[in-house]
Amino acid sequence: PEIEDGIVEIKSISREAGYRTKLAVFGFVIIMFLIGPILDTASLFLIAAELTKTYIIATYISGLPVNAVHATATALTLYFFSQPLFEKLDRLKTKYGMMEG
């Protein structure tokens, strides 16, 4: 740690302007287009007695609102809580000397 103006400043991975927005958008896209369809596929195989084209389409379409809510909640969580979380992780890295070298 470096002391500047009486405040301990911890040097960490630089975060360019807008990193929270980029992280939130990334979280939204991953949940909406990767995790959501994976969970819909799991539901499809667990519930369907017979896989038909109609049932497959209906499952993915009915999963869209749930995936949208999940993705939005993820994006909002990442946007509002990523900075405090990264600050805590930076303190742990400094305290225990992790990620050095």
Side-chain angles (χ1 to χ4, degrees):
E2 296 178 9
I3 298 177
E4 292 182 9
D5 300 327
I7 298 173
V8 176
E9 179 180 308
I10 300 172
K11 298 289 184 186
S12 63
I13 300 170
S14 65
R15 294 181 179 83
E16 73 254 7
Y19 83 94
R20 292 188 323 169
T21 304
K22 291 177 185 177
L23 187 62
V25 169
F26 176 76
F28 182 88
V29 169
I30 290 298
I31 295 296
M32 192 70 189
F33 299 108
L34 182 67
I35 304 301
I38 289 172
L39 293 173
D40 293 340
T41 303
S43 297
L44 185 66
F45 285 119
L46 290 172
I47 295 171
E50 182 180 333
L51 295 178
T52 64
K53 186 176 181 179
T54 305
Y55 194 75
I56 293 170
I57 292 170
T59 300
Y60 286 114
I61 289 175
S62 66
L64 282 176
V66 176
N67 294 341
V69 170
H70 187 189
T72 302
T74 299
L76 290 173
T77 301
L78 288 172
Y79 186 81
F80 289 113
F81 297 111
S82 62
Q83 185 174 357
L85 178 64
F86 283 139
E87 289 171 1
K88 288 178 186 0
L89 290 173
D90 287 341
R91 284 199 309 267
L92 285 172
K93 287 192 296 188
T94 302
K95 180 177 180 179
Y96 294 110
M98 297 165 43
M99 310 302 272
E100 291 179 0

